[in-house]
Amino acid sequence: MQKTNRLWITVLALGWVFDFLFWKHTPGVSFAIFVVLTLGTGFWLTRGLGVSAARGTLLLLLPIGLLAAMTFVRAEPMTAFLTHVMTLFLMFVLVVTFSGGRWLSYGLADYVVRLFSLLGSMIARPLGFTAEARRDTPEEETPKARRQVWPVLRGLLMALPVVALLASLLASADLVFAQRLDDFIKLFRLENLPEYIFRGVYILILAYLLAGIYLHAAERSRDEKLQGEEKPVVPPFLGFTEAAIVLGSVILLFAMFVIIQFQYFFGGQANISVEGFTYSEYARRGFGELLGVAFISLLLLMGFSALSKRETPLQRRAFSGLGIGVVALVLVMLVSAYQRLALYEDAYGFSRLRTYSHVFLLWLAALLVAVVALEWIQKQRLFAVSMLITALGFALSLAFLNVDGFIVRQNVARAEAGHELDVAYLASLSEDAVPALAQAFASTRLSAGTREAVGAALACRAARTGSRQPDTSWQSFHVSRWQADQTMASLKSSLSGYKEDDDEWPLILTTPGGVEYDCWKADTFD
């Protein structure tokens, strides 16, 4: 019974901590703190239940820590979304493989089965654990536990009038204490009752679910048997001949396309113009389609690898050779897509979507190479972990790159080369962009026009965010927001020459040199 009490007290405390960290607070360092507390509590509880983490499981703590830290370092939306989601996903992997540690050998089916198993444990296991603990508790211990409650209640009743009297005297002695005491008493007003009921309910629900998660890690995470380890989940039913014909046909199609690519794309701008396309039109039209072809090719290889029969060594080598052929041609097309994207950026500048695409193309190419390599060495079970590493690499790449700062640096360099700088778009970026903007504004190497445009982006940003009331609580502390606030405060006097036209909407800003910028009209979105 002692273990049961410890479990419920701990998860209820965690539920209250969640409410304290997140209720009416902008997300910031609170997420990382809760991740650390949740993991630390899990290790402590499972140790009390006689279960320790496997060595393989401990490997997950490093990427979880990196991702959790990035949640309060980067403010760019996609980076923030991916770091939060990947942190939660890796915590899920840690739970389901806690005492087994074989997550590196998981297939896609293992993730699906363990997800449903964890969901079942979150719903049913806390009740089963409590009922089992009650059955194992001697009956003579229950009255004793009940007798211990009454002294506590009597002590609380006796303490109330004493504390009330002393608190009133202290409130009279100190006005600050009196204000804090008044704020505390306001918590018990009747009009706050619906809010407290709602918060209490979700704290109880969260505590119950956390109890199920911890119990699953302690009792159901041994990885004794993986899906498809002894025999395939879906036995291969497609003949080698059919698979070879399909892959061979795809290779022929891709080869024809690549030949045209060399003639009209890699051959230079003149060859494209002959066909009636401008360089930017050609680049924009083909990028998404080539990315789709790469995705379909990946699914095609994985599908045929799982479902087609290769009964002889010759068939296995032939299938692997066909896979290498498909991937080699797809990689050429990804180079073409990368070139198209570079042309599009040269014509219209950098944006978030184009930066995501740059990074994603590299990781997609790495995943394709990994898939065909695993097929060659007959380690198809590792497809799933390859996809996990690719997703993790993509998320961390965006975080370490600082997408918005990268966009500022690239577009400022492009402006120095004679292109127009989209001031409104730079002003619309997250706090991650502010240090790069400030660095460019302070640079003596930039031309006067570019530097003035960068200053306009900073002034527009100050105007756009000036009316917002930031959450100054420590739970909402965010490195990027704090750094941006410090930087903007230090630039206030330097930006005093930029004037806002209060009579115009949307906001029009005039630079010291007399150039007008619309602070809301951004042209660079896709």
Side-chain angles (χ1 to χ4, degrees), residues 71-128:
T71 60
F72 67 93
V73 171
R74 294 286 179 246
E76 188 273 317
M78 177 62 79
T79 305
F81 172 77
L82 288 176
T83 50
H84 281 83
V85 170
M86 286 302 298
T87 300
L88 294 175
F89 182 78
L90 290 181
M91 290 175 71
F92 152 73
V93 177
L94 185 147
V95 169
V96 298
T97 189
F98 185 79
S99 58
R102 298 181 62 194
W103 61 277
L104 289 170
S105 300
Y106 278 12
L108 294 175
D110 291 295
Y111 287 108
V112 175
V113 170
R114 278 156 177 74
L115 173 62
F116 283 103
S117 177
L118 177 61
L119 292 175
S121 293
M122 292 166 65
I123 295 171
R125 196 157 292 277
L127 290 177

Side-chain angles (χ1 to χ4, degrees), residues 179-216:
Q179 180 63 43
R180 298 292 185 269
L181 183 62
D182 184 59
D183 293 340
F184 178 74
I185 294 173
K186 287 179 181 179
L187 295 175
F188 300 96
R189 289 183 176 178
L190 189 60
E191 58 264 27
N192 294 330
L193 185 60
E195 176 186 314
Y196 294 152
I197 292 175
F198 172 76
R199 293 168 70 178
V201 168
Y202 83 66
I203 286 173
L204 291 174
I205 293 174
L206 178 61
Y208 184 88
L209 296 177
L210 284 171
I213 291 171
Y214 290 139
L215 290 171
H216 184 93

Side-chain angles (χ1 to χ4, degrees), residues 335-382:
V335 171
S336 172
Y338 197 89
Q339 291 279 68
R340 290 168 187 261
L341 187 59
L343 291 172
Y344 194 36
E345 288 161 346
D346 182 64
Y348 299 104
F350 281 75
S351 68
R352 283 173 174 167
L353 181 58
R354 295 164 203 166
T355 306
Y356 304 152
S357 301
H358 260 302
V359 180
F360 181 74
L361 275 175
L362 298 176
W363 283 104
L364 178 60
L367 179 59
L368 283 165
V369 172
V371 166
V372 75
L374 293 173
E375 171 61 38
W376 181 263
I377 63 176
Q378 299 297 303
K379 297 289 185 181
Q380 291 88 348
R381 280 195 65 85
L382 298 181

Side-chain angles (χ1 to χ4, degrees), residues 51-54 57 94-101 217-218 220-223:
V51 179
S52 58
T57 302
L94 185 147
V95 169
V96 298
T97 189
F98 185 79
S99 58
R220 300 281 295 175
S221 61
R222 303 190 188 282
D223 290 340

